Amino acid sequence: SEEAPEPCRPHSRDDFLRRVHSFSNARLWFAKPAALSPPQCARHGWRLGAAADTLVCRVCLAEFKCPTSLDDPAALSAAEGLLRTAHQPLCAWLSNPSPESFGSLLLPARFGAAPSLAEGAARALESLRARHAALLRLPSLPALADGLSPALDEAAAAAGLAGGGSALLA
């Protein structure tokens, strides 16, 4: 039974976690290298399909069958590239993966402890401001996804900033 297409929301952590959760049947996606880990696949919009070693995109309905043998570096590189390019030509996932931070864990630094919550929030805010500055250099900007403005307002409130989401970008 083919499922209906869903919207492409790369900045939704909930959507990302649902895609990662689709990999819970380890028999269907077994012994893949880190470059093809469930979080990496989910970052690029893929869910685990019904057949072994098969990924599906529920936005463009593309399917990607991963080679079972990835011992050859060329085969691994090709499979890794297909995570980004196996979508249909007009699929939004082609050039719009979820942030790398979605697939990362906050682990202690190599020499020292993990940053405090305040330090982590400051780093996240600085990263958001750097991304904002990079976007402002583009000749035109895409419209914000529905629901992003309230998320920015919520983040600003959590950071204790008056002025809502616009305060994060100031």
Side-chain angles (χ1 to χ4, degrees):
S1 70
E2 189 172 288
E3 298 195 32
E6 65 182 29
C8 176
R9 294 184 297 231
H11 295 285
S12 168
R13 185 174 291 277
D14 290 338
D15 287 358
F16 170 78
L17 292 173
R18 277 191 285 279
R19 290 189 301 275
V20 169
H21 183 71
S22 74
F23 289 85
S24 60
N25 185 345
R27 290 179 294 135
L28 297 179
W29 196 256
F30 181 72
K32 299 294 187 266
L36 298 173
S37 67
Q40 286 302 317
C41 295
R43 276 192 59 237
H44 292 281
W46 298 106
R47 293 175 179 266
L48 185 60
D53 301 319
T54 303
L55 300 176
V56 294
C57 173
R58 294 216 346 227
V59 172
C60 69
L61 305 179
E63 287 195 13
F64 161 42
K65 177 77 172 163
C66 184
T68 53
S69 176
L70 295 166
D71 296 332
D72 177 29
L76 176 58
S77 180
E80 190 178 352
L82 284 171
L83 282 184
R84 293 181 295 279
T85 62
H87 293 278
Q88 296 295 326
L90 297 178
C91 184
W93 285 111
L94 279 172
S95 61
N96 203 19
S98 292
E100 284 185 34
S101 62
F102 279 17
S104 302
L105 296 174
L106 179 59
L107 298 174
R110 189 172 211 182
F111 301 104
S116 68
L117 185 57
E119 288 173 308
R123 288 181 189 175
L125 185 57
E126 183 55 39
S127 177
L128 181 63
R129 286 186 174 139
R131 176 77 173 141
H132 179 255
L135 288 172
L136 288 178
R137 291 191 296 269
L138 295 174
S140 63
L141 295 174
L144 286 177
D146 290 340
L148 187 56
S149 292
L152 284 175
D153 291 340
E154 185 179 317
L161 298 174
S166 59
L168 286 171
L169 305 175

